[in-house]
Amino acid sequence: MKQLLVSLLALGLVAGPLTATPAEAQRRSDQGEARKEMRAGNILRAREIENRVLSMMGDAEYLGFDYDSTAMAYRLKFIKKGKVLYVDVDARTGRILSRSR
């Protein structure tokens, strides 16, 4: 029984990465691209973008960000009074591209 449990756990570790959804695969690809672009000096660090935007969002709760390698933009996500807000920022310049209300 113990051998079967170990085998199933090992199979899960091997098969798990193979069953990633397309969105997860794209996110991993975008994260890798962001690291590459940051190292090359082409985009700003995520923390720098966060520091700029967080100070402008008042009492909205910060939930995190995603990086879009195609648009070379960060999307920061907030919640305020039960409403989700997005702030899209140019990763190269730090300029705010759009804000949802």
Side-chain angles (χ1 to χ4, degrees):
M1 183 67 173
K2 188 175 183 180
Q3 177 90 18
L4 177 63
L5 182 58
V6 169
S7 297
L8 289 173
L9 287 172
L11 179 62
L13 292 174
V14 172
L18 299 176
T19 60
T21 65
E24 290 169 342
Q26 180 63 38
R27 191 170 308 121
R28 274 192 230 123
S29 172
D30 283 344
Q31 289 173 348
E33 189 67 24
R35 277 194 287 291
K36 185 175 99 179
E37 293 291 341
M38 258 189 300
R39 286 185 191 123
N42 296 331
I43 65 171
L44 299 170
R45 294 184 168 286
R47 298 297 171 233
E48 188 174 344
I49 298 289
E50 288 173 333
N51 289 338
R52 291 180 184 194
V53 176
L54 287 173
S55 64
M56 299 171 14
M57 295 303 293
D59 61 345
E61 181 182 348
Y62 180 56
L63 301 175
F65 74 92
D66 285 317
Y67 176 73
D68 181 341
S69 62
T70 305
M72 291 186 83
Y74 290 101
R75 171 167 272 191
L76 284 72
K77 186 176 179 180
F78 297 86
I79 191 164
K80 184 174 182 177
K81 296 181 183 175
K83 185 175 179 183
V84 177
L85 309 168
Y86 295 100
V87 179
D88 295 326
V89 181
D90 186 309
R92 293 164 289 202
T93 65
R95 183 176 66 86
I96 292 178
L97 301 172
S98 66
R99 289 175 68 165
S100 67
R101 296 249 175 211

